[in-house]
Amino acid sequence: MTETFDIHHGLSAALRDRAEAWRFIADFAAYWGQPLKPGDGWSSVEVETAERRLGLALPAALREAYLLLGRRTDLTSNHDRLLSPGELYVTDGALVYRSENQGAASWGVLLKELDHDDPGTVMRTDLAEKSRERWEPWEPGLTAACIEMVMSEVVLFDDGFTDFLEVDAEEAAWEPLLRQLPGVGSEMRWFSGEDVLVREFDGFCLNVRARTEEALERLRDAVPGDWLVG
Protein backbone atom coordinates (compact mmCIF):
# COMPACT_ATOMS: atom_id res chain seq x y z
CA MET A 1 0.00 0.00 0.00
CA THR A 2 1.35 3.43 -0.95
CA GLU A 3 2.03 5.44 2.22
CA THR A 4 2.49 8.92 0.75
CA PHE A 5 0.34 10.64 -1.83
CA ASP A 6 0.06 14.38 -2.43
CA ILE A 7 -3.47 14.45 -3.77
CA HIS A 8 -3.60 18.24 -4.16
CA HIS A 9 -0.45 18.43 -6.28
CA GLY A 10 -1.35 15.30 -8.24
CA LEU A 11 -4.87 16.46 -9.03
CA SER A 12 -3.69 19.90 -10.08
CA ALA A 13 -1.28 18.32 -12.58
CA ALA A 14 -3.87 15.77 -13.73
CA LEU A 15 -6.34 18.46 -14.71
CA ARG A 16 -3.73 20.09 -16.97
CA ASP A 17 -2.29 17.09 -18.77
CA ARG A 18 -3.77 13.77 -19.92
CA ALA A 19 -0.68 11.71 -19.21
CA GLU A 20 -0.56 13.18 -15.70
CA ALA A 21 -4.22 12.26 -15.29
CA TRP A 22 -3.55 8.56 -15.83
CA ARG A 23 -0.57 8.78 -13.48
CA PHE A 24 -2.78 10.42 -10.87
CA ILE A 25 -5.41 7.70 -11.21
CA ALA A 26 -2.75 5.01 -10.79
CA ASP A 27 -1.34 6.71 -7.67
CA PHE A 28 -4.85 7.35 -6.33
CA ALA A 29 -5.84 3.70 -6.80
CA ALA A 30 -2.70 2.50 -5.01
CA TYR A 31 -3.24 4.87 -2.08
CA TRP A 32 -6.97 4.29 -1.61
CA GLY A 33 -7.17 0.63 -2.54
CA GLN A 34 -5.21 -1.68 -4.79
CA PRO A 35 -2.57 -0.68 -7.38
CA LEU A 36 -3.43 -0.98 -11.04
CA LYS A 37 -1.94 -4.05 -12.67
CA PRO A 38 -1.86 -5.69 -16.11
CA GLY A 39 -5.28 -7.07 -16.96
CA ASP A 40 -7.19 -4.31 -15.16
CA GLY A 41 -8.11 -2.81 -18.52
CA TRP A 42 -9.98 -4.10 -21.54
CA SER A 43 -7.80 -5.33 -24.38
CA SER A 44 -7.21 -3.29 -27.53
CA VAL A 45 -8.97 -6.08 -29.47
CA GLU A 46 -12.10 -5.66 -27.33
CA VAL A 47 -12.05 -1.89 -27.80
CA GLU A 48 -11.54 -2.20 -31.56
CA THR A 49 -14.40 -4.72 -31.77
CA ALA A 50 -16.67 -2.15 -30.13
CA GLU A 51 -15.53 0.52 -32.59
CA ARG A 52 -16.36 -1.72 -35.55
CA ARG A 53 -19.77 -2.53 -34.09
CA LEU A 54 -20.56 1.15 -33.58
CA GLY A 55 -18.97 2.31 -36.82
CA LEU A 56 -16.91 5.00 -35.12
CA ALA A 57 -13.56 5.61 -33.43
CA LEU A 58 -13.47 6.23 -29.70
CA PRO A 59 -11.76 9.41 -28.51
CA ALA A 60 -8.18 8.80 -27.37
CA ALA A 61 -9.03 9.59 -23.74
CA LEU A 62 -11.85 7.04 -23.59
CA ARG A 63 -9.75 4.39 -25.31
CA GLU A 64 -6.90 5.01 -22.84
CA ALA A 65 -9.27 4.78 -19.87
CA TYR A 66 -10.64 1.45 -21.05
CA LEU A 67 -7.15 0.03 -21.62
CA LEU A 68 -5.88 1.24 -18.23
CA LEU A 69 -8.68 0.46 -15.76
CA GLY A 70 -11.88 -0.51 -17.57
CA ARG A 71 -12.24 -3.80 -15.67
CA ARG A 72 -11.60 -2.33 -12.21
CA THR A 73 -15.17 -2.15 -10.93
CA ASP A 74 -14.03 -0.72 -7.58
CA LEU A 75 -12.85 2.37 -9.48
CA THR A 76 -15.50 2.51 -12.19
CA SER A 77 -18.69 0.66 -11.33
CA ASN A 78 -19.46 -0.07 -7.71
CA HIS A 79 -22.10 2.70 -7.65
CA ASP A 80 -22.69 4.26 -11.06
CA ARG A 81 -21.36 2.15 -13.91
CA LEU A 82 -18.80 2.55 -16.66
CA LEU A 83 -20.19 0.60 -19.59
CA SER A 84 -18.02 -2.15 -21.02
CA PRO A 85 -16.88 -1.67 -24.64
CA GLY A 86 -19.54 -4.16 -25.69
CA GLU A 87 -22.25 -2.08 -23.98
CA LEU A 88 -21.39 1.29 -25.53
CA TYR A 89 -24.27 2.71 -27.53
CA VAL A 90 -25.31 5.78 -29.46
CA THR A 91 -28.50 7.70 -28.75
CA ASP A 92 -29.74 11.18 -29.65
CA GLY A 93 -26.43 12.36 -31.04
CA ALA A 94 -24.16 11.08 -28.27
CA LEU A 95 -22.01 8.05 -27.48
CA VAL A 96 -23.06 6.83 -24.02
CA TYR A 97 -20.25 5.43 -21.85
CA ARG A 98 -21.58 5.59 -18.27
CA SER A 99 -24.93 5.09 -16.53
CA GLU A 100 -26.36 5.99 -13.13
CA ASN A 101 -26.88 2.98 -10.87
CA GLN A 102 -30.68 3.06 -11.15
CA GLY A 103 -30.81 4.27 -14.74
CA ALA A 104 -31.73 7.80 -13.69
CA ALA A 105 -28.98 9.45 -15.75
CA SER A 106 -26.46 8.76 -18.50
CA TRP A 107 -23.11 10.29 -19.42
CA GLY A 108 -21.77 10.56 -22.93
CA VAL A 109 -19.80 12.37 -25.59
CA LEU A 110 -21.52 14.20 -28.43
CA LEU A 111 -20.87 12.53 -31.77
CA LYS A 112 -19.70 15.80 -33.25
CA GLU A 113 -16.92 15.86 -30.59
CA LEU A 114 -15.63 12.32 -31.14
CA ASP A 115 -12.76 13.45 -33.33
CA HIS A 116 -11.23 15.31 -30.36
CA ASP A 117 -8.66 13.44 -28.27
CA ASP A 118 -10.18 14.66 -25.01
CA PRO A 119 -13.69 15.89 -25.78
CA GLY A 120 -16.10 17.44 -23.33
CA THR A 121 -18.73 15.22 -21.76
CA VAL A 122 -22.47 15.57 -21.35
CA MET A 123 -25.08 14.22 -18.95
CA ARG A 124 -28.77 13.54 -19.45
CA THR A 125 -31.33 12.87 -16.74
CA ASP A 126 -33.98 10.24 -17.39
CA LEU A 127 -37.37 11.98 -17.23
CA ALA A 128 -40.93 10.72 -17.35
CA GLU A 129 -41.59 13.22 -20.15
CA LYS A 130 -39.02 12.07 -22.69
CA SER A 131 -39.46 15.13 -24.90
CA ARG A 132 -37.87 17.25 -22.15
CA GLU A 133 -34.66 15.23 -21.91
CA ARG A 134 -31.57 17.11 -23.06
CA TRP A 135 -27.85 16.52 -23.08
CA GLU A 136 -26.32 19.04 -20.68
CA PRO A 137 -22.61 19.89 -20.25
CA TRP A 138 -20.83 17.80 -17.61
CA GLU A 139 -17.02 17.92 -17.61
CA PRO A 140 -14.97 20.01 -20.09
CA GLY A 141 -12.81 16.97 -20.86
CA LEU A 142 -13.28 13.21 -20.82
CA THR A 143 -10.08 12.83 -18.82
CA ALA A 144 -11.49 15.05 -16.07
CA ALA A 145 -14.71 13.01 -16.16
CA CYS A 146 -12.66 9.83 -15.60
CA ILE A 147 -10.89 11.41 -12.63
CA GLU A 148 -14.26 12.40 -11.14
CA MET A 149 -15.59 8.89 -11.77
CA VAL A 150 -12.71 7.21 -9.95
CA MET A 151 -12.80 9.60 -7.00
CA SER A 152 -16.58 9.34 -6.65
CA GLU A 153 -16.60 5.56 -6.85
CA VAL A 154 -13.99 5.40 -4.09
CA VAL A 155 -15.93 7.59 -1.63
CA LEU A 156 -19.13 5.67 -2.43
CA PHE A 157 -17.51 2.24 -2.08
CA ASP A 158 -19.49 0.27 0.53
CA ASP A 159 -16.54 -1.90 1.58
CA GLY A 160 -14.28 0.19 3.76
CA PHE A 161 -14.25 3.17 6.08
CA THR A 162 -17.01 5.27 4.54
CA ASP A 163 -19.82 7.41 5.89
CA PHE A 164 -22.42 10.00 4.87
CA LEU A 165 -23.63 13.22 6.47
CA GLU A 166 -26.26 15.77 5.50
CA VAL A 167 -24.98 19.29 6.04
CA ASP A 168 -26.22 22.86 6.04
CA ALA A 169 -24.81 24.45 2.90
CA GLU A 170 -25.00 27.93 4.42
CA GLU A 171 -23.06 27.10 7.58
CA ALA A 172 -20.27 24.90 6.20
CA ALA A 173 -18.52 24.96 9.57
CA TRP A 174 -16.61 21.83 8.60
CA GLU A 175 -14.75 23.46 5.69
CA PRO A 176 -11.84 24.98 7.70
CA LEU A 177 -11.02 21.50 9.00
CA LEU A 178 -10.10 20.24 5.53
CA ARG A 179 -8.18 21.37 2.47
CA GLN A 180 -10.22 22.04 -0.64
CA LEU A 181 -8.96 20.28 -3.75
CA PRO A 182 -8.95 21.59 -7.34
CA GLY A 183 -12.39 21.50 -8.86
CA VAL A 184 -13.60 18.36 -10.61
CA GLY A 185 -17.17 17.18 -11.07
CA SER A 186 -20.27 19.24 -11.75
CA GLU A 187 -22.17 20.12 -8.55
CA MET A 188 -19.29 18.73 -6.45
CA ARG A 189 -16.51 20.04 -4.26
CA TRP A 190 -13.67 17.90 -2.98
CA PHE A 191 -11.68 18.14 0.26
CA SER A 192 -8.91 16.14 1.89
CA GLY A 193 -7.59 15.76 5.40
CA GLU A 194 -5.38 13.37 7.31
CA ASP A 195 -6.20 10.00 5.69
CA VAL A 196 -9.66 11.20 4.63
CA LEU A 197 -11.26 12.16 1.33
CA VAL A 198 -14.52 14.10 1.31
CA ARG A 199 -16.96 14.84 -1.51
CA GLU A 200 -19.54 17.56 -0.99
CA PHE A 201 -22.37 16.97 -3.43
CA ASP A 202 -24.87 19.64 -4.44
CA GLY A 203 -24.18 21.62 -1.27
CA PHE A 204 -26.10 19.35 1.07
CA CYS A 205 -24.27 16.09 1.72
CA LEU A 206 -20.81 14.78 2.50
CA ASN A 207 -19.56 11.42 1.28
CA VAL A 208 -16.47 10.41 3.23
CA ARG A 209 -13.82 7.75 2.72
CA ALA A 210 -11.01 7.18 5.23
CA ARG A 211 -8.00 4.91 5.14
CA THR A 212 -8.40 3.89 8.78
CA GLU A 213 -11.17 3.69 11.35
CA GLU A 214 -9.24 6.16 13.50
CA ALA A 215 -9.19 8.75 10.71
CA LEU A 216 -12.91 8.35 10.15
CA GLU A 217 -13.62 8.73 13.88
CA ARG A 218 -11.51 11.90 14.01
CA LEU A 219 -13.61 13.43 11.26
CA ARG A 220 -16.89 12.39 12.88
CA ASP A 221 -15.75 13.94 16.16
CA ALA A 222 -14.69 17.16 14.44
CA VAL A 223 -17.88 17.47 12.41
CA PRO A 224 -20.89 16.82 14.67
CA GLY A 225 -24.04 15.61 13.00
CA ASP A 226 -26.27 12.65 12.27
CA TRP A 227 -23.73 10.43 10.52
CA LEU A 228 -25.31 7.55 8.66
CA VAL A 229 -22.99 4.86 10.02
CA GLY A 230 -21.24 6.45 12.98
Side-chain angles (χ1 to χ4, degrees):
M1 182 171 62
T2 301
E3 294 300 328
T4 59
F5 175 49
D6 187 341
I7 188 172
H8 193 281
H9 178 269
L11 184 54
S12 297
L15 293 174
R16 296 193 301 267
D17 180 82
R18 197 162 83 244
E20 289 292 336
W22 307 135
R23 185 174 295 112
F24 170 81
I25 286 175
D27 291 343
F28 183 89
Y31 189 77
W32 287 101
Q34 297 297 320
L36 293 174
K37 61 184 185 301
D40 282 351
W42 296 95
S43 71
S44 57
V45 171
E46 289 165 315
V47 172
E48 289 162 6
T49 297
E51 291 177 319
R52 287 195 298 271
R53 174 178 60 84
L54 294 164
L56 51 80
L58 300 187
L62 185 56
R63 168 182 279 270
E64 291 165 2
Y66 274 127
L67 296 178
L68 179 68
L69 73 155
R71 292 180 178 273
R72 280 286 297 269
T73 56
D74 58 320
L75 302 175
T76 67
S77 303
N78 73 76
H79 189 262
D80 299 329
R81 192 166 68 89
L82 176 68
L83 302 184
S84 71
E87 295 172 314
L88 290 168
Y89 66 95
V90 172
T91 185
D92 294 338
L95 172 67
V96 177
Y97 69 89
R98 190 181 180 208
S99 64
E100 196 268 342
N101 70 93
Q102 295 181 326
S106 300
W107 290 266
V109 177
L110 296 178
L111 296 182
K112 64 183 181 181
E113 302 271 328
L114 288 182
D115 59 343
H116 298 171
D117 286 345
D118 195 8
T121 59
V122 290
M123 188 270 287
R124 186 170 73 173
T125 303
D126 182 59
L127 301 175
E129 189 177 334
K130 297 301 181 185
S131 63
R132 296 181 57 198
E133 292 184 359
R134 298 287 187 275
W135 288 113
E136 302 290 346
W138 182 248
E139 283 291 313
L142 224 169
T143 303
C146 289
I147 293 170
E148 178 275 314
M149 172 183 68
V150 168
M151 292 176 65
S152 289
E153 293 302 309
V154 162
V155 297
L156 295 171
F157 197 37
D158 59 5
D159 182 13
F161 307 114
T162 58
D163 211 335
F164 168 88
L165 177 68
E166 291 188 3
V167 294
D168 187 330
E170 294 185 0
E171 291 185 6
W174 53 273
E175 286 189 28
L177 305 174
L178 302 165
R179 184 181 186 186
Q180 186 168 353
L181 298 174
V184 61
S186 178
E187 301 178 343
M188 302 175 193
R189 292 193 302 162
W190 291 90
F191 298 81
S192 66
E194 184 181 355
D195 283 339
V196 294
L197 179 65
V198 177
R199 184 186 78 164
E200 180 203 49
F201 183 74
D202 203 21
F204 79 92
C205 70
L206 303 183
N207 297 107
V208 177
R209 176 76 183 270
R211 297 181 82 217
T212 66
E213 182 65 37
E214 293 76 16
L216 186 56
E217 284 298 333
R218 282 197 302 270
L219 184 64
R220 290 181 182 133
D221 291 343
V223 186
D226 187 15
W227 289 93
L228 181 64
V229 179

